Amino acid sequence: MAEWEDPQGAANSRDSAQSKTITRRRFILGVIAGGAAVSAASYRFLAPPSHGRSGSSGAGERLITLMVNGKPRHVDVMKQETLAFTLRYKLGLTGTKLGCDRAECGSCTVLIDDVPSYSCSVLTHTVRGRNVTTIEGLAAPDGTLHPVQKGVVDEQGFQCAFCMPGFIMSAVGYLKKNPNPTRAEMAQGVSGNLCRCQDYTKILDALMRGAEYTRRA
Amino acid sequence: MTEMAAVEIAKAEDQKPRPFGAGYKLIGKDYSTNDLVAKVTGTAKYAEDFRAEGMLFCRLALSPMPHGRVKRINAEKALAMPGVRGILTPDEVPGHANYVNDNGTMIKADRFSELALADEPMYQGEPILAVAAVDELTCAEAIEQIEIEMEPLPFNTDPLDSLRPGSANAREEGNVWVPNAAPSRDSHLEAVKWTDDDFAVEKEGKMPMGHAPEEWSYGDVDAGFRNAALVLDETFSTEDVSHQCLEPRTTMAYWQNGKLYLYTGTQSTMQTVPAIARWMHMPEDKVVFVSEYTGGGFGSKITGAQTLVIPALLSKKLNAPVMMRISREEEHFIGRARPGIRARTKVGFARDGRITALDMFLVSDAGSYGSNGDGGACAQITSLLYQPPAMRWRNITVATNTLPRSAQSAPGGMQAIAIVEPILSKAARKLGLDQVALRRVNCPEGKAEFGPPRPDGKRGYVTSCFLKQALDEGARQFNWDARVARQPKRVGSKVRGLGVALSTYHGGTSGFDGLLVVTPEGRVQIYSGIGNLGTEAFIDVHRAAAEVLDVPWEAVDIIWGDTSKNLPYSCHSGGSQTIHAMTRAGHAVGLECVQRLKEVAAKSLGGEAADYEVANLRVARKGGGAGMSFAQAAQAAIKLGGIYDGHDVNPQVNGYTKHSVAQLAGTGLVASARDTFPHDGDSFSFLACFAEVETDVETGKYTITDYLGYADVGTVIHPAALGGQILGRSTLGIAHAIGQKWVIDPQYGVTVAERFYQNKPPTILDVPVDMKWNALNIPDPETPVGARGCGEPPVGGGCSAILNALSDALGDNIYQRVPVNCDTILTSFEAGRPMQNPLLAHI
C-alpha cells in the first residue's frame, strides 16, 4: 500500500507530519482494532443538521478531488478511508455494495482506470488522478444501458442482485482485456465475485450476451 | 378430488412434457421483470441505501462467550463521549407477551424465544447492548469504553456430547426439546442423558441411539427388514450451514406522528408487519414497513427479527432516525443457519431395489433458542420421496450454545435427501442395479402418500407427482445410459463418477388475496404484498391475473415494497409457497376483475354482464358491438361506487386487504379477491438431479463436470426465473456437499469460521460453466394455473447428486459426513474406510 501522499501541495499543514506514517501495517491494525471502524469512520454526513457536537471521527479529513464517472468530485476524506465508503456515504453512489468489507465477495467492485478493483480495500486518497467508474457511470447520459447491462436485462440475469453491480463492473473490466471470451474465460474473469443466490449459469448467460452486445457496439 | 383431477391422475403415466407457455399469452414466456433496470443501474434501494435527516448509526456489543449472564453494565464513559447519543440495554427491550394479529390469530408468548438484546446470552455473538452515535466509528469507540461484567455459565456446543452422562446442558432448564402432549404443538425443555451402554456402539463408528422423545411409524417395519434381500445400516451427518446472505442485515427506523417507519430487507412484505408489531408490542396499523429489494434470504429473513427491533427501539428512545448495518462477522452470528443432523438410517431392499422398510433415528441440533422442525420434516420428505411401505422415525432435538437455527432452503428436506440418497446408490451397487433404475422402482407417483397416519387414520398425500417422467426425461437429456457405458472410468489418477438423486419439498399453500386497480387512465395496477428477495415471484405471479384479464404486460404496473402503498395480504415467501399460493390469488383477482368489468359495462351500456367479454384492454359485447375501454370502465366504476371502486369490499378477503381496499377506494375499478379454490392434497414439487464428477485420487481434488436438474413443478410461469431457482438452489445444495461447514472450538465454545474465506459458498469456478435445467410443464390438476413453487426442492438433489457421483467414482468407503473435501478423499481413499469422524460437531 502506498504511503499517504501529499494531496494537493501545501494546503495540508494540519496533520502532514503524521499523515506520512500510514503504512499498510498500520492500516490493517486500525481495521482490526476498530472492527468495522474504518468503514464506520466515513459513515458520517458532511453537515449533520441537528447533532451539535460531532463525533470523534471528523479529525484528519482533507479535501481531495476524485474523478468519478467522468466528473471531478471534491470530497473530504480521511487518510484511512476506503473508496467504497467515499463512494457510498459521501458521494451518494450507493450502487456500489458492501457485502463483506474485506475483499472476499467482490460486491464493491469498481473500475479504476478500467481495471476492476475491490473498492472496500482501496484507500480513497490513492485514486486521486485516476478514473473511477461505478455502476452508476455505465449507462449513457440519456439512459441507454451499457451493452453488459443490456445483456443482463435481456437474459434476466441474477436474482437478489446485491452482487450484480460488482459482477457487472468485473465483466466490463474483463471485456476490455478480452473482448471475445469463452464461457470458461468469462467465468475466470468474474471469479473474484461471489453470488449467494448461486445463479451462476444464468449470470454467465447474461454476461456472455453482454460480451456479444459489447463487440457489436 | 375434483372430477377433472381424477381424470388427470388416471392418466398420470401418460402425461408428457409440454412446451413452456403453450396455450398462454404471458404464462410460460420469458420477459424482463419490472425491477431489473433499477438493479443493473445501481438505483435499486436496499435497506442500507436509504437515508433520513439527522440519522444516527448504531452498533452492537456481542457476547464474547457461548453462555453467560450480564452482571453489570457501566456505560458512563461511553455516554460522555462526543457524538454518542445513547445506549440500549436488555432491560429496555419488550419481553415475551401473547399477541393477536389483525386476522385474529393468537400467537402465544414463548418464554424460550430470543429477545432483541440478551442479559443471559445463549451463544457467542448474541447481542447484549447497542450504542447509537453520529457515526459508526464513534459507536465502535464507545463500545470499547463500556464495561460489561459477565459471569460465565456452563455450555455445550455439540448435541451428541450434550446427551453424554454428566455433560453440561445448554440451558438451565435442560438440553432436549420434548413435545407437549397433543393437541399442543409446542415443546418444553427437559434434561435427557443417554447411558454409557447407549454410547458403546460409537467405537464401531455407528451413531448411538438412546431415548428419543419423538417417534412415529407406519406399516410392519420388522417384517420389512426380515423380507429384505439387503439391509444397510448407515451413520451419516449433515453439517450446519449459515445462510450468509450477501447483504448483511440492515435496518433503518424512525418515528413520525406515533407511527414506526421501518426499512429493511425481508422475504415477505405484508407478513413482516405483524412480526414487527409483535416484537415491538405495538398495534399493526402504527407500522409502515418498506422493503423494496432484499439481498438474499434463503429462509433467514422470512419476517422480522431482532435486527429490526434494535434500531426501532433506539430511534424511539433518542427521537432520531437510527440505521443499523451489521458487519460480515456479526452476520455470521445473528444471521441464522441450517441445523446439522446426525442420522442412523437402516434401509431394507428387495432384489429389484424396492425399499421394504426404513428406520431413521435423528439427533437434530436446535441451537440456542427454541426447537425446530427440521427433524420432523426430514422424516416426512423421506417417506414421500422414497415411498417405503413401512417406516419408523425417531428424533431427539437438542439445545446447544450455538447460534439460533432457522429454516434454510428445504429445511429438513435437504438433510433427508443427503442422508438417504447415498444409501440408495450404495444399495444399487450391492444389488448390481443401475442408480436410475433403483430410484424408478421407489419413485412416488400420482397422489403419493407421505408421513404417518393422521388422527383420522389416513395418511397425507400430494396434489400430484410426475417425478417418474422427470427421472426418465432427465436421464434421456443427460445421456445417462451412454455415460454409464463410457469406459474406462479411470484414466491415470482421474476417476469419473455419475450420480443421480431424487428431490422434493413443499410447493405451496393457499388462502391469500389478490388486489388490483384498473385506473381511469386505463392502466392495470397490481398490488404485491410479496417480498422481493430475488426470485422474481413477487412479479411473476401477477402474470396469472394479467393472463385472465387478457391485457398486454406493458399495460401493467406492479406496486410493491412499501406497506403504506396499500398492499394485499400475501403469503410468506418461504417454503416455496409463493408461486403456488399467489398465482391462485392472482387468478382469483383476475376473474373477479373480469366479472366487475362486465357488470360495469352492462350497467353502462345495457344488457347482462354475461353478454360481455374482456380482451385487449376493452370490455365489449361478445361478437362485436358496444364496448368500453378499461379507462372508460374505470371512470364508470368510480361513478357507480360501492363494490366497483372499493367503497365496498369483497367480504371474503383477509383483514389486511380490507384496510388496503379502503385506502384505494375511489381510485378506479378496485378488484380484490381471496383464493378459495379447493385443492385435494398438499402441494409438493419434485426434481430428478444428475451429476458427473471427475476426481483426482492423488490430490483428492474433484471437479463437477456436468449437472442437470429436471423439474416437476407444474406449469412453468417464468422460465428464466425457474431456471435460476433450479440451478441456484441446486448449487446451494452442492455447497453442502463440497465445502461449507462451521468450525467451533469445543473447549471455549467460540467459532473460528465466521467469514466468507473460512466458510466459503461456491464460486463460479466450483460449478460447471453450463449447468442444465428443464421442466415437464405438466400442470398440477389441483390449482387453477397449475403452478407450484421451486425454491426448496432442488437443494437436496443438488447435494446428493454430487455425493452419489463421488461414491460412484471412489466407492462406498469415503465419507460418512458432508462436506466431502480434498482431505476426506485423500485420507479415506488410501485407508479404504471413512477417516472423518461422523459424530463430532463443527470440525
Side-chain angles (χ1 to χ4, degrees), chain A:
Chain A
M1 190 71 63
E3 287 203 338
W4 176 253
E5 292 165 30
D6 194 354
Q8 285 165 4
N12 54 9
S13 57
R14 187 174 46 167
D15 55 359
S16 60
Q18 73 173 67
S19 70
K20 291 199 185 289
T21 64
I22 290 288
T23 61
R24 177 182 169 80
R25 177 178 152 72
R26 286 197 51 175
F27 171 66
I28 292 170
L29 281 176
V31 168
I32 294 166
V38 170
S39 49
S42 52
Y43 223 134
R44 59 188 285 277
F45 294 128
L46 293 176
S50 56
H51 288 154
R53 292 180 299 177
S54 69
S56 58
S57 59
E61 288 192 346
R62 67 183 63 191
L63 185 67
I64 65 170
T65 302
L66 297 175
M67 188 60 80
V68 181
N69 296 332
K71 291 183 187 139
R73 302 290 301 265
H74 308 292
V75 59
D76 286 307
V77 301
M78 292 169 294
K79 50 198 167 192
Q80 75 272 38
E81 185 169 316
T82 65
L83 180 57
F85 277 82
T86 309
L87 294 171
R88 282 187 56 83
Y89 302 110
K90 293 189 173 168
L91 301 180
L93 297 169
T94 55
T96 298
K97 301 301 181 200
L98 277 169
C100 72
D101 215 7
R102 296 288 188 283
E104 297 173 276
C105 75
S107 303
C108 64
T109 305
V110 299
L111 299 183
I112 300 173
D113 290 339
D114 285 346
V115 177
S117 301
Y118 293 156
S119 64
C120 75
S121 301
V122 172
L123 293 178
T124 304
H125 72 83
T126 66
V127 299
R128 281 174 306 129
R130 301 170 72 184
N131 290 309
V132 177
T133 310
T134 72
I135 189 76
E136 291 92 343
L138 280 189
D142 69 355
T144 305
L145 296 179
H146 183 281
V148 174
Q149 290 173 313
K150 177 120 183 21
V152 172
V153 171
D154 288 355
E155 291 288 338
Q156 188 70 41
F158 299 87
Q159 292 184 21
C160 86
F162 196 78
C163 69
M164 187 203 279
F167 263 98
I168 290 180
M169 298 317 291
S170 290
V172 170
Y174 181 68
L175 287 171
K176 288 178 189 293
K177 206 170 76 174
N178 179 4
N180 195 10
T182 62
R183 273 181 88 87
E185 287 169 343
M186 178 60 94
Q188 284 285 348
V190 297
S191 61
N193 293 73
L194 206 54
C195 165
R196 187 53 174 142
C197 301
Q198 315 255 250
D199 193 6
Y200 292 125
T201 289
K202 192 145 60 66
I203 288 174
L204 272 179
D205 290 345
L207 299 180
M208 290 302 283
R209 179 60 60 94
E212 179 197 327
Y213 291 165
T214 306
R215 287 194 298 277
R216 275 200 235 150

Side-chain angles (χ1 to χ4, degrees), chain B residues 418-691:
Chain B
I419 290 163
V420 178
E421 278 289 341
I423 305 176
L424 263 56
S425 284
K426 185 174 185 176
R429 276 183 289 282
K430 292 208 177 283
L431 294 168
L433 297 170
D434 176 68
Q435 289 186 60
V436 171
L438 183 134
R439 280 163 183 82
R440 203 171 191 284
V441 298
N442 291 299
C443 193
E445 186 174 28
K447 288 208 169 312
E449 293 182 322
F450 63 92
R454 292 172 174 173
D456 64 2
K458 294 177 183 161
R459 296 177 67 203
Y461 53 91
V462 302
T463 52
S464 73
C465 173
F466 303 104
L467 181 54
K468 266 187 191 162
Q469 284 95 319
L471 184 64
D472 292 345
E473 293 295 330
R476 199 169 300 138
Q477 181 173 337
F478 198 66
N479 289 321
W480 177 265
D481 291 341
R483 285 179 197 252
V484 169
R486 213 168 87 211
Q487 292 295 337
K489 274 176 79 172
R490 178 165 181 164
V491 177
S493 62
K494 303 277 179 65
V495 190
R496 283 186 306 109
L498 288 167
V500 60
L502 303 181
S503 208
T504 186
Y505 209 75
H506 295 274
T509 49
S510 58
F512 299 93
D513 297 339
L515 171 60
L516 64 84
V517 177
V518 179
T519 72
E521 296 78 31
R523 304 285 302 169
V524 178
Q525 293 187 333
I526 302 182
Y527 291 77
S528 185
I530 307 164
N532 178 10
L533 67 159
T535 65
E536 304 299 357
F538 83 107
I539 296 176
D540 290 344
V541 296
H542 304 304
R543 306 273 279 184
E547 185 82 46
V548 175
L549 277 168
D550 196 15
V551 293
W553 191 244
E554 295 69 32
V556 175
D557 302 313
I558 303 291
I559 292 140
W560 87 90
D562 182 340
T563 61
S564 69
K565 292 181 178 170
N566 311 313
L567 309 179
Y569 186 59
S570 310
C571 70
H572 294 113
S573 278
S576 300
Q577 293 186 60
T578 315
I579 287 285
H580 178 268
M582 300 312 292
T583 53
R584 293 166 65 94
H587 189 75
V589 76
L591 291 175
E592 168 79 7
C593 187
V594 165
Q595 178 60 25
R596 297 298 177 204
L597 281 165
K598 289 179 181 175
E599 289 171 14
V600 167
K603 285 177 188 291
S604 305
L605 304 172
E608 300 294 321
D611 300 336
Y612 289 84
E613 63 186 355
V614 173
N616 297 321
L617 293 169
R618 288 185 63 77
V619 51
R621 275 189 186 272
K622 287 177 184 167
M628 58 206 307
S629 68
F630 270 28
Q632 290 165 329
Q635 290 158 17
I638 294 170
K639 283 195 191 127
L640 287 167
I643 193 72
Y644 298 105
D645 75 342
H647 277 97
D648 291 334
V649 63
N650 181 342
Q652 288 188 317
V653 298
N654 291 281
Y656 298 93
T657 309
K658 286 179 180 162
H659 297 313
S660 293
V661 168
Q663 295 294 316
L664 289 166
T667 59
L669 191 158
V670 179
S672 60
R674 182 178 189 156
D675 156 27
T676 54
F677 302 112
H679 59 101
D680 183 36
D682 294 324
S683 299
F684 283 77
S685 285
F686 302 88
L687 280 98
C689 302
F690 303 83

